[in-house]
Amino acid sequence: MKINTFYSQISIYNYKITPSTYMNLKFLLLFIFFIFINNIVFSQTQKRYFTEQEAKIVKSYLDYESDVIVFCLTNPLADDLLRLVEIEKVSIQKSEDYPDKYEVVLKGAAIGVFKIENLLPKNYNSVIIPYDEVIDLSYIYVRHNGGQDFKGKKIWLALCLATILGHEVEADLEPFDYPIPDTRGQKE
């Protein structure tokens, strides 16, 4: 009997929740739900397909780079190593998945693999692995002038190419130190 009395005392009317307050709470919860769904549906984490104009812009940007860093690997057995890829050729092709879209193909060689810890490259290993893949801008990092360290040595940062080109994507990594900046130069 005490249980029934307890539940009968719990009511929205005991807490002075008026119908208008109830509607406001309902509206607030609905608004939060739509914001949550909007972020899930519309937050873009990949940028692989382009208009013809966008593809030409990406190609022309990469034509001036001598190397890039590729983060997302197609081989799940390769751990989460980043690859420093020396660029040999950048080309544009029509997408097979979407007939009105284009893809950018990067051909070259991975010349180094490494991990990132505290925004610094660690365990860098030189390798020579052929690279010929369609790229996703969200996983391509390019060299950007980061300034100088306390000794006056030039520091290069690796920044997500999609962010630099103004695409609304979420980069997987924060800007980090670009590996071996002294031995690599930009194409002229």
Side-chain angles (χ1 to χ4, degrees):
M1 185 152 182
K2 288 185 179 182
I3 294 174
N4 289 340
T5 307
F6 175 74
Y7 285 116
S8 66
Q9 291 177 358
I10 298 175
S11 165
I12 61 169
Y13 299 109
N14 289 345
Y15 294 101
K16 302 201 185 218
I17 297 177
T18 63
S20 64
T21 306
Y22 179 72
M23 291 304 289
N24 287 342
L25 286 173
K26 232 170 126 173
F27 176 77
L28 180 64
L29 289 174
L30 190 61
F31 179 75
I32 291 170
F33 174 75
F34 281 121
I35 294 291
F36 178 74
I37 293 298
N38 184 39
N39 285 339
I40 289 174
V41 172
F42 294 109
S43 65
Q44 197 174 6
T45 58
Q46 296 180 333
K47 185 65 176 170
R48 179 180 170 172
Y49 302 104
F50 308 96
T51 64
E52 185 176 10
Q53 183 65 27
E54 289 174 333
K56 287 179 181 179
I57 291 170
V58 172
K59 182 188 179 316
S60 66
Y61 189 97
L62 290 174
D63 281 342
Y64 286 99
E65 295 293 323
S66 59
D67 51 53
V68 294
I69 294 173
V70 180
F71 175 58
C72 186
L73 301 179
T74 55
N75 181 358
L77 301 175
D79 202 7
D80 58 349
L81 296 175
L82 287 86
R83 295 180 280 183
L84 179 63
V85 176
E86 187 173 59
I87 298 173
E88 181 182 315
K89 180 181 176 185
V90 180
S91 59
I92 299 172
Q93 69 184 21
K94 261 198 150 334
S95 171
E96 293 177 9
D97 299 330
Y98 301 100
D100 61 333
K101 296 291 184 179
Y102 291 82
E103 298 171 327
V104 178
V105 179
L106 180 67
K107 184 176 181 179
I111 58 172
V113 294
F114 59 97
K115 287 189 170 210
I116 294 293
E117 292 178 16
N118 297 324
L119 304 179
L120 297 171
K122 298 288 183 191
N123 302 327
Y124 184 88
N125 291 307
S126 295
V127 296
I128 301 291
I129 303 170
Y131 186 89
D132 188 3
E133 293 185 24
V134 172
I135 62 169
D136 185 324
L137 289 190
S138 302
Y139 306 121
I140 301 293
Y141 292 82
V142 295
R143 188 180 349 197
H144 190 269
N145 187 356
Q148 295 180 347
D149 66 6
F150 64 95
K151 294 180 182 177
K153 181 179 170 187
K154 195 172 215 179
I155 298 173
W156 294 97
L157 292 178
L159 300 177
C160 180
L161 182 56
T163 305
I164 290 173
L165 295 178
H167 297 282
E168 292 184 22
V169 298
E170 295 178 20
D172 284 345
L173 298 171
E174 295 292 324
F176 57 91
D177 282 0
Y178 204 93
I180 60 170
D182 294 336
T183 60
R184 318 253 352 128
Q186 287 188 321
K187 289 181 182 175
E188 295 300 325

